[in-house]
Amino acid sequence: MSIYYDVPRDCYEAWMIYNFLSLCMAYVGGPGAIVVKSEGKVIEPSWCLMTCCWPPIPVDGFLLRKCKQGTLQFVLIKPILASLTLIFFAFGNYEDGDWSMTGGYLYISIIYNICYTIALYYLLVFYVGCEELLRPYHPLMKLVIIKMVIFLTFWQSIGISMFSSRFSDPSDTGALQDWMVCMEMLLSAFMMWFGFPHSEYKIGGRSSGFTMAAFAHAISLQDVYSDVMHQFNPNYKTYVLYTDGGPSENVKRKKFRKQGKQDPGPLALSGHVAAGSDSEEGEHWDLGGGEGG
């Protein structure tokens, strides 16, 4: 019966990686803010990123699109793999820890690992390209916590399944995995309490606490659908979204100081930038793109 709980859990893990990338972009003010603030910045060739044979990669809308595509492919493929897992299990062709060529476990694990590796790779590329912008929000600590949770729920089960022959009852491997995850998630909960403090998500002038509107926004898949349409549609290949992914009334609060006195120039083929009001701190630019985002 555990397989019926593992499948939706795995789908949630894929969605969590996508949400983490969206969170990092929202920290900075949205993809449009990243494009403007990173103008002229490039990712130098690196052995660690496997870009040693490539020219310097500019941090622009094209790179952000590829990073989004890299994480979204995992969100799209994981439910398909989950459905195949249930189908194979129903026909007796799937069993956890069965590495035989005739079972579905081997092939699903291979495809899962490839897609998962691609998602994490583009997440790393995004972090390297936007490290300076994200530094005040401690993204590395958050990424380690996210990866640790995924490691403990998937890779740990792979490792335990390799030693399933040492157990007298094959079901004991699943019981051991469940017990270890329960203990480890207790530690993970404390780490997330410090890694993702609620104070970072407070909005000025808003009362804190649980609201159904906030909960509905958190679990909504509308942003996934919108991103899939924009990131994989060739008509939007030069599209840059000038919002932070949150409610439109919050976007206009996301402002940053203009670098120098040069004219910012055209920022994208789609969307626009409206000049913000002058203040004592200097000239600012609003990346909200209007009330509709």
Side-chain angles (χ1 to χ4, degrees):
M1 289 295 294
S2 62
I3 190 172
Y4 297 106
Y5 298 98
D6 294 342
V7 167
R9 181 201 66 191
D10 292 343
C11 293
Y12 172 77
E13 291 169 2
W15 187 46
M16 182 172 58
I17 292 179
Y18 162 79
N19 279 329
F20 181 71
L21 177 61
S22 299
L23 173 65
C24 290
M25 288 189 177
Y27 276 146
V28 185
I34 296 175
V35 171
V36 177
K37 294 181 180 182
S38 302
E39 184 177 0
K41 182 178 180 180
V42 297
I43 300 177
E44 299 294 340
S46 169
W47 286 96
C48 296
L49 291 178
M50 296 180 290
T51 59
C52 53
C53 299
W54 294 0
I57 304 173
V59 181
D60 54 12
F62 180 78
L63 177 66
L64 297 183
R65 177 181 171 87
K66 290 300 179 183
C67 292
K68 281 274 191 174
Q69 289 176 343
T71 54
L72 282 170
Q73 57 85 25
F74 189 44
V75 178
L76 296 176
I77 292 177
K78 183 55 193 175
I80 298 176
L81 295 178
S83 301
L84 291 175
T85 298
L86 294 177
I87 293 174
F88 288 152
F89 182 77
F91 286 93
N93 294 323
Y94 184 93
E95 183 179 351
D96 282 337
D98 181 15
W99 297 96
S100 65
M101 301 290 290
T102 57
Y105 180 81
L106 172 64
Y107 305 104
I108 288 180
S109 297
I110 292 175
I111 297 174
Y112 177 93
N113 279 281
I114 292 175
C115 297
Y116 176 53
T117 302
I118 292 174
L120 288 183
Y121 172 76
Y122 278 104
L123 200 61
L124 177 62
V125 170
F126 173 80
Y127 169 74
V128 173
C130 305
E131 180 182 2
E132 294 180 1
L133 299 176
L134 293 171
R135 190 172 297 158
Y137 306 101
H138 310 291
L140 186 59
M141 177 180 64
K142 293 177 170 63
L143 179 61
V144 169
I145 295 175
I146 294 293
K147 291 183 66 176
M148 183 190 71
V149 172
I150 297 175
F151 172 82
L152 294 177
T153 55
F154 178 75
W155 289 102
Q156 183 174 266
S157 64
I158 294 291
I160 293 176
S161 66
M162 292 181 177
F163 297 94
S164 59
S165 59
R166 298 178 178 271
F167 292 86
S168 57
D169 186 351
S171 62
D172 289 344
T173 59
L176 176 61
Q177 166 71 1
D178 294 341
W179 180 81
M180 293 182 66
V181 167
C182 289
M183 296 296 103
E184 292 157 350
M185 289 304 103
L186 178 62
L187 175 62
S188 176
F190 284 106
M191 294 180 64
M192 286 194 172
W193 181 271
F194 293 101
F196 294 87
H198 68 90
S199 58
E200 291 185 358
Y201 313 104
K202 285 185 177 180
I203 300 176
R206 295 285 188 90
S207 59
S208 60
F210 176 83
T211 62
M212 287 303 300
F215 177 73
H217 182 268
I219 65 174
S220 174
L221 296 178
Q222 180 62 36
D223 54 344
V224 178
Y225 172 78
S226 177
D227 258 346
V228 169
M229 297 302 296
H230 289 152
Q231 305 304 329
F232 290 99
N233 190 333
N235 295 329
Y236 291 93
K237 63 181 179 181
T238 55
Y239 175 89
V240 178
L241 183 65
Y242 287 98
T243 70
D244 63 352
S248 58
E249 64 267 23
N250 303 336
V251 175
K252 300 182 72 174
R253 298 191 179 103
K254 298 287 188 179
K255 297 183 178 180
F256 68 97
R257 182 169 299 179
K258 180 183 176 184
Q259 300 294 330
K261 297 183 179 180
Q262 297 180 354
D263 186 86
L267 300 180
L269 297 180
S270 177
H272 66 277
V273 177
S277 59
D278 293 339
S279 66
E280 296 180 358
E281 296 181 355
E283 186 176 3
H284 294 74
W285 292 86
D286 179 8
L287 296 179
E291 289 296 328

